[in-house]
Amino acid sequence: MAGVEAGKEEEATAVRITGKSHVKPGKLIGRKECQLVTFDLPYLAFYYNQKLLFYKNDGCGEFEDKVEKLKEGLRVVLEEFYQLGGKLGKDDDGVLRVDYDDDMDGVEVVEAVAEGITVDELTGDDGTSSFKELIPFNGVLNLEGLHRPLLSIQLTKLKDGVAMGSAFNHAVLDGTSTWHFMSSWAQICNGTSSSVVVPPFLDRTKARNTRVKLDFSPVVSCNGDDATKQGPPAPQMREKLFRFSEAAVDKIKSRANSTPPPSHGSKPFSTFQSLAVHIWRHVSQARNLKPEDCTVFTVFADCRKRVDPPMPDSYFGNLIQAIFTATAAGLLLENPPSFGASVIQKAIESHDAKAIDERNKAWEAAPKIFQFKDAGVNCVAVGSSPRFKVYEVDFGWGEPVGVRSGSNNRFDGMVYLYQGKSGGRSIDVEITMEAQAMEKLEKDKEFLME
C-alpha cells in the first residue's frame, strides 16, 4: 500500500507537458544579423539563464485564456526584441552573431499542468531544484543556441495559480536586458501600453567592435556528464533563500559603516557593499576556512555606465563583467566588516572604462570561454540585482507571489540577489552551498540578523 500511496503522491506533484508552440513577432522583420561582442562571448559555456515567477489565481480568466493573452503580448513585444526569436549563427570568418529571419521558429512556448503543486509550496525558502520541471532547458549550454530557440517559456497550471519558467540564452543578454524584456512584455499584456515603451538598443558593436573568432572544441566537452570522469563524487549542494527585511538591511549597512575602513578617505559603504561583505564573511565562516585560506569575492557588474562612451540602460545584450577580489579568510573574519567592505568597494570603483578596456583587450588576445564555475577558490559570486523591479512584472493578474532562479549556473558560493517581497529596501538572498556548510549558515543567528 505504501508503494501505491507514494506513486499517487508523485503523480500529484508531477509536471505534465500538454502542448508546445512557437511565437514570432507580429509583423515581418526581414533578415537581421547582429555580431556578438567581447562582452557576450565569455558566457557561451554558461547554461541558459533560468527564472521562475509564480502567480496566485485571481479570478481573471481560465489558464487557457491567460496563455493566449501571453502569446498575443509576446507577438507584440518581439517586434522590438526580435533577436530573442532568432538563433546563434556564424559569419564567414567564424565570428558569432545573432541571426533573425522571418522563417525562423521564434520563441518556444511550452504549456504544462501540475495541479498537485500549490503556489505556497513554491514560496518556501528551499531551492527551486525540486521544481526543475517548471523551467525549460535544464543543463542546456548557451552554445546550443546555434540550433535551439534563444528563449523558451513554460507556463504551468498549478492547483491555485500559474508558474512561468523562462530560459534565456545568456550569450545573448544579461539580467538588465532580461528584466527590460519581461517588464515590456508585462506592460503590453496588462494594457498599460500597446507597444514597447522603451525599445531595446540593439547595436552591440557600439560598446565594442572587435571581431573575435572562437574555437569551440574545448567548450563542447564541458557539458559532458561528470559521472563518466574518475575522481571523488561531487559534494551535495543545497539552495536556500534568506530574506532580509528593510530593518535588517539597514542594520547590516550601519554595522559596516560603524568602524573606519583601513584606508583613509574611502566613501561610506553602499547597501550592496555592506550586504556583500556580510554574506562573504558568514559563508567563509560556515565553510570552516583556515586563516591562511584564500577566498575570492566575485560580482558580475553592469558596465553600461562604466564604458566610454556610456551605453543607454536599454542596451540589449551582455554589458557585464566579472570583478574579482581576494583576501585571506583570517583577515576577512578577524577584522571588522569594514575591512572586507573596503576590499569590495576598491575592486568595484577601480573597474572603470580603462580597466574594462584592458580586460577586453587581454581576453581578445587569448579568448577563454568561462565555465560557469570559474569564479575562483572558496568563492562567493554575486549575480542578479535587487534593483531589478521583479515584482512589477504583472501580466494583468497581479504581481508575482515569488521570483526565483532555476537550477542552471549554480555552484558552491553562487548568490542571486532580488528585491525583497516585503518591499522597501528589503532584499532576498538566494545562496547555493555545500550541504554541510549550508547547515551551519542556517543556524548562524548573526548572519540571519535575528
Side-chain angles (χ1 to χ4, degrees):
M1 282 304 282
V4 174
E5 289 302 318
K8 276 185 184 166
E9 207 172 292
E10 252 170 57
E11 208 172 290
T13 56
V15 178
R16 190 165 46 84
I17 305 293
T18 56
K20 193 180 279 190
S21 56
H22 289 84
V23 175
K24 298 182 180 193
K27 65 177 186 190
L28 293 176
I29 305 284
R31 173 80 186 170
K32 300 277 185 183
E33 296 166 359
C34 181
Q35 178 191 320
L36 292 188
V37 297
T38 311
F39 290 101
D40 300 305
L41 297 171
Y43 303 104
L44 283 165
F46 276 46
Y47 296 103
Y48 271 68
N49 198 14
Q50 298 174 311
K51 298 296 167 203
L52 179 65
L53 292 84
F54 27 96
Y55 299 83
K56 277 264 195 202
N57 274 344
D58 59 343
C60 285
E62 291 295 314
F63 175 72
E64 290 70 21
D65 300 335
K66 288 178 176 170
V67 171
E68 277 317 304
K69 191 177 178 183
L70 286 167
K71 285 183 181 178
E72 279 167 32
L74 192 51
R75 284 183 198 102
V76 178
V77 76
L78 286 174
E79 291 176 13
E80 297 286 352
F81 291 87
Y82 59 82
Q83 287 186 5
L84 289 173
K87 292 267 199 315
L88 294 183
K90 287 185 221 173
D91 64 18
D92 295 340
D93 299 328
V95 176
L96 268 185
R97 64 189 184 197
V98 181
D99 287 340
Y100 178 82
D101 206 301
D102 294 326
D103 295 338
M104 289 182 177
D105 291 339
V107 171
E108 179 181 271
V109 178
V110 178
E111 290 165 54
V113 176
E115 297 202 56
I117 298 176
T118 66
V119 170
D120 286 349
E121 284 174 67
L122 296 178
T123 55
D125 294 342
D126 281 321
T128 51
S129 57
S130 50
F131 303 111
K132 252 182 161 175
E133 292 174 22
L134 297 172
I135 313 178
F137 285 15
N138 289 296
V140 174
L141 284 176
N142 293 315
L143 186 56
E144 293 187 47
L146 288 161
H147 54 85
R148 285 184 188 252
L150 299 179
L151 169 59
S152 177
I153 302 283
Q154 181 175 323
L155 305 162
T156 307
K157 182 182 184 182
L158 305 172
K159 189 173 188 175
D160 56 353
V162 177
M164 175 187 278
S166 56
F168 290 86
N169 190 299
H170 206 335
V172 173
L173 79 172
D174 60 16
T176 300
S177 296
T178 295
W179 294 107
H180 178 195
F181 167 79
M182 292 294 276
S183 59
S184 302
W185 181 19
Q187 283 167 351
I188 289 162
C189 290
N190 70 25
T192 311
S193 169
S194 57
S195 59
V196 175
V197 179
V198 181
F201 179 88
L202 294 171
D203 188 357
R204 297 158 194 260
T205 58
K206 290 283 189 286
R208 190 84 185 167
N209 201 8
T210 313
R211 292 169 55 74
V212 183
K213 186 180 175 182
L214 291 174
D215 172 25
F216 298 121
S217 50
V219 177
V220 182
S221 64
C222 79
N223 193 29
D225 185 0
D226 286 344
T228 58
K229 297 174 189 168
Q230 294 305 307
Q236 193 194 344
M237 293 293 159
R238 270 190 57 207
E239 300 150 23
K240 181 92 179 174
L241 184 75
F242 297 94
R243 301 169 200 269
F244 291 93
S245 65
E246 187 171 293
V249 169
D250 289 348
K251 202 169 168 185
I252 288 167
K253 187 174 180 178
S254 68
R255 192 179 286 175
N257 283 291
S258 65
T259 50
S263 64
H264 189 62
S266 80
K267 298 189 302 200
F269 303 119
S270 67
T271 299
F272 172 78
Q273 290 155 7
S274 306
L275 181 61
V277 75
H278 182 74
I279 298 165
W280 192 15
R281 281 164 58 91
H282 288 278
V283 166
S284 299
Q285 221 168 339
R287 285 172 167 161
N288 281 341
L289 297 185
K290 298 189 191 83
E292 65 275 14
D293 285 343
C294 178
T295 171
V296 174
F297 180 85
T298 306
V299 56
F300 291 91
D302 183 3
C303 298
R304 284 167 176 76
K305 293 292 172 265
R306 294 169 188 264
V307 290
D308 185 21
M311 290 291 116
D313 291 337
S314 58
Y315 175 98
F316 186 80
N318 284 289
L319 206 40
I320 53 173
Q321 258 184 0
I323 301 175
F324 304 92
T325 187
T327 188
L331 288 173
L332 181 67
L333 297 174
E334 286 156 24
N335 280 296
S338 57
F339 171 83
S342 178
V343 170
I344 292 169
Q345 187 182 65
K346 268 191 214 139
I348 291 173
E349 292 197 342
S350 63
H351 203 72
D352 54 12
K354 185 170 177 282
I356 292 166
D357 186 48
E358 281 169 9
R359 171 83 67 83
N360 281 333
K361 280 179 179 158
W363 190 88
E364 288 155 2
K368 172 177 169 32
I369 302 297
F370 298 118
Q371 288 191 44
F372 70 98
K373 48 184 182 277
D374 284 341
V377 63
N378 296 323
C379 83
V380 168
V382 178
S384 195
S385 166
R387 290 200 185 111
F388 298 149
K389 306 283 185 224
V390 297
Y391 286 103
E392 290 176 17
V393 181
D394 173 1
F395 291 94
W397 49 81
E399 61 178 35
V401 177
V403 179
R404 303 294 293 273
S405 302
S407 54
N408 281 357
N409 300 321
R410 287 186 182 269
F411 53 89
D412 184 16
M414 187 66 215
V415 175
Y416 291 103
L417 300 182
Y418 288 108
Q419 192 183 23
K421 177 65 178 147
S422 54
R425 291 185 298 282
S426 65
I427 296 176
D428 286 351
V429 179
E430 249 188 1
I431 304 183
T432 303
M433 280 172 75
E434 287 189 11
Q436 223 175 340
M438 181 67 87
E439 209 175 308
K440 288 203 180 91
L441 193 67
E442 285 173 316
K443 293 173 183 164
D444 181 348
K445 287 190 164 60
E446 203 181 313
F447 171 68
L448 302 171
M449 298 301 291
E450 283 180 357

